[in-house]
Amino acid sequence: VLFRSGEGPSESRRRRASLHHHLIARDGERLLGRLHLSGAMDPGYEATAVFLVECGLATLEPGLETAGVLTPGAAFGRRLVERLEGAGFRFDLETT
């Protein structure tokens, strides 16, 4: 369900929302690992805002290496995971 411009879920609906992402890494047929990312917040509003703010704050930390156009994970690495965990997200990684 898509909302019209200027509309969105109610505050009570956002408070009840959560997010769960399950990612699987493979090398052909070989399973390399699984990642489960979860958070007790609305993915379209609060979580998106938290991701953006934490990435922005990570750019202010010393030691950031630049190499052109990078994904947030490549640019910030473990520091972004730690920032997001501090903001209430949980990362469960299983490698094979």
Side-chain angles (χ1 to χ4, degrees), residues 20-37 92-96:
H20 299 274
H21 293 288
H22 299 272
L23 303 126
I24 298 171
R26 293 186 180 277
D27 180 9
E29 293 296 315
R30 195 171 111 234
L31 176 67
L32 299 176
R34 298 169 199 220
L35 174 69
H36 177 225
L37 166 63
D92 296 304
L93 177 63
E94 171 191 326
T95 58
T96 58

Side-chain angles (χ1 to χ4, degrees), residues 11-57:
E11 184 178 343
S12 65
R13 185 172 175 184
R14 288 192 316 266
R15 277 197 304 264
R16 293 189 314 269
S18 63
L19 63 90
H20 299 274
H21 293 288
H22 299 272
L23 303 126
I24 298 171
R26 293 186 180 277
D27 180 9
E29 293 296 315
R30 195 171 111 234
L31 176 67
L32 299 176
R34 298 169 199 220
L35 174 69
H36 177 225
L37 166 63
S38 59
M41 61 184 70
D42 182 87
Y45 288 82
E46 286 87 1
T48 299
V50 170
F51 289 148
L52 291 170
V53 168
E54 293 301 340
C55 285
L57 291 171

Side-chain angles (χ1 to χ4, degrees), residues 37-41 50 54 82-91:
L37 166 63
S38 59
M41 61 184 70
V50 170
E54 293 301 340
E82 292 166 357
R83 295 190 71 83
L84 292 173
E85 287 175 335
F89 291 95
R90 181 175 173 170
F91 293 84

